[in-house]
Amino acid sequence: MSSNFFSVSKLPNSEWDFFWNHIHLPDEIKYDALRLILTEHKMSSLVRDFALSKIIFVHGPPGCGKTTMVRGVCNEAGKRMIGEQCYFAELNFHNLYSQNYGESEKLIAKAFKYVEELSTFGNIVFILFDEVESILTEREITLSNANPVDAFRGVNEVLKSIDELSLKSPKTFYFATSNLLSAVDKAFVDRTDRIFFVDFPNYSARFQILRDVCETTNKAFSASINMNCSKFRKLVYVTQGLSGRQLRKLVLETVTSSDVLYQEPFKIQIDDLISVALRLKARNQASVPNDCQFDNCCTVSRRNPHERR
């Protein structure tokens, strides 16, 4: 099931168990998000009373598992919503904007009409706005746009549609991810029920990710990487500052870094991984401006999305 605006999957999906089991974040983030969804599901008839927007915002550096976390949490929630029909719909934001004046507003309205249809008969719908700043850019930023009025109207239409759907379809949940919180429209951020910050993996998370990666490498290439030694702990230590995505691609980077390992990947050792990890860190530091940083917050919005503005 799909549309021009959304890629839709039915949940729970056994293939998505990986997203929950192999996204290594502090447990309080995963389980806080899961409890929030399940609690708001129980309060579906009290949307107005408790000022529920059903919006969860996840932000942080690129490659640290924001989208994977959302997929895993939604799939896990779907397992626990016994007897419910659950769908996960990811917005194809590039199909929502047009160069023609006023057309974007109409396309956004059509997209949300599809969500309303998907939620008929009491279906639960999880909507993902990945890289939400692409569709809900802070309006102060869009003042420099060639057509700022049209961009304003597009943002207004999304906000209006979310407010209306939260009443018409109280079993619809919204998830937004972003690498840059400050680029997202403040009115949308203010509507959120919870904001989670997903940072670069800490030591514990890196240990688990690298253990997964090394176990898979040993199995796939008949390699013999030893994870019960001081060198493995050194590998975990030196990879501080690498994203989860970079950690999972470390074997690929290592195998393609030399003709020997390219021809005989079973010879890969921890020293090889450490060497490539240090190069990746140096590359990261050279490519990030000194003043580039990510906002760190975890808060609950207290504004009632249905009050008169």
Side-chain angles (χ1 to χ4, degrees):
M1 183 183 297
S2 62
S3 75
N4 291 332
F5 306 111
F6 293 95
S7 302
V8 182
S9 303
K10 190 172 181 179
L11 300 181
N13 182 339
S14 60
E15 294 183 0
W16 286 31
D17 288 343
F18 180 89
F19 298 143
W20 176 261
N21 297 327
H22 292 271
I23 181 67
H24 299 297
L25 302 172
D27 283 346
E28 62 268 20
I29 294 180
K30 288 169 59 173
Y31 286 99
D32 279 1
L34 179 60
R35 283 191 295 268
L36 182 61
I37 295 170
L38 296 176
T39 301
E40 291 197 327
H41 174 55
K42 294 176 183 177
M43 294 181 173
S44 291
S45 63
L46 301 170
V47 168
R48 192 190 300 272
D49 304 81
F50 287 118
L52 305 180
S53 67
K54 304 287 189 74
I55 301 173
I56 297 175
F57 198 113
V58 187
H59 74 109
C64 290
K66 298 180 295 294
T67 304
T68 301
M69 169 194 156
V70 170
R71 290 176 178 150
V73 168
C74 289
N75 194 57
E76 193 67 18
K79 290 180 182 180
R80 304 185 188 205
M81 294 175 174
I82 307 299
E84 301 278 12
Q85 290 282 347
C86 301
Y87 295 93
F88 184 91
E90 184 170 349
L91 178 68
N92 300 320
F93 62 83
H94 55 277
N95 288 340
L96 288 180
Y97 284 106
S98 169
Q99 296 297 320
N100 299 323
Y101 181 78
E103 187 66 22
S104 295
E105 185 179 5
K106 295 176 183 177
L107 292 173
I108 290 168
K110 286 182 180 179
F112 278 91
K113 182 65 176 176
Y114 175 77
V115 174
E116 186 177 350
E117 293 171 357
L118 193 61
S119 65
T120 54
F121 309 112
N123 292 333
I124 292 174
V125 184
F126 302 113
I127 306 295
L128 171 61
F129 300 132
D130 201 16
E131 297 182 354
V132 69
E133 64 272 19
S134 299
I135 183 175
L136 284 164
T137 308
E138 167 58 46
R139 279 169 281 191
E140 291 180 5
I141 296 175
T142 59
L143 286 172
S144 60
N145 192 292
N147 193 354
V149 174
D150 204 35
F152 274 40
R153 288 161 65 98
V155 171
N156 287 339
E157 182 62 33
V158 173
L159 297 177
K160 183 187 78 171
S161 297
I162 289 175
D163 287 348
E164 291 176 351
L165 267 179
S166 65
L167 291 175
K168 291 180 182 178
S169 306
K171 291 186 177 182
T172 298
F173 296 81
Y174 301 91
F175 299 83
T177 68
S178 176
N179 298 331
L180 191 60
L181 178 63
S182 60
V184 182
D185 190 78
K186 292 183 178 67
F188 176 78
V189 175
D190 185 54
R191 281 165 167 76
T192 59
D193 289 337
R194 190 74 57 83
I195 299 177
F196 293 100
F197 178 73
V198 177
D199 204 353
F200 290 106
N202 59 21
Y203 184 92
S204 175
R206 296 197 308 277
F207 186 96
Q208 294 177 77
I209 293 170
L210 289 168
R211 183 186 60 192
D212 287 350
V213 167
C214 291
E215 286 177 349
T216 300
T217 302
N218 285 345
K219 183 177 180 180
F221 299 127
S222 298
S224 56
I225 299 174
N226 182 5
M227 289 158 278
N228 298 309
C229 64
S230 59
K231 283 188 177 181
F232 182 77
R233 293 190 292 275
K234 179 181 178 181
L235 173 64
V236 177
Y237 177 78
V238 301
T239 50
Q240 180 178 2
L242 295 185
S243 71
R245 182 181 298 131
Q246 287 178 313
L247 293 175
R248 292 197 179 278
K249 289 187 175 183
L250 188 56
V251 170
L252 174 65
E253 292 279 351
T254 303
V255 167
T256 56
S257 67
S258 76
D259 288 335
V260 172
L261 293 178
Y262 170 72
Q263 296 291 339
E264 300 175 309
F266 65 89
K267 291 185 176 180
I268 189 170
Q269 295 295 323
I270 290 181
D271 284 337
D272 303 313
L273 297 171
I274 291 173
S275 176
V276 171
L278 291 172
R279 289 209 301 269
L280 284 175
K281 286 186 68 172
R283 186 193 307 169
N284 285 357
Q285 292 167 357
S287 63
V288 177
N290 291 332
D291 60 349
C292 181
Q293 59 182 346
F294 298 91
D295 303 305
N296 186 343
C297 66
C298 182
T299 186
V300 178
S301 173
R302 293 179 173 83
R303 175 186 173 274
N304 186 336
H306 308 299
E307 68 188 8
R308 190 179 298 276
R309 297 194 296 274

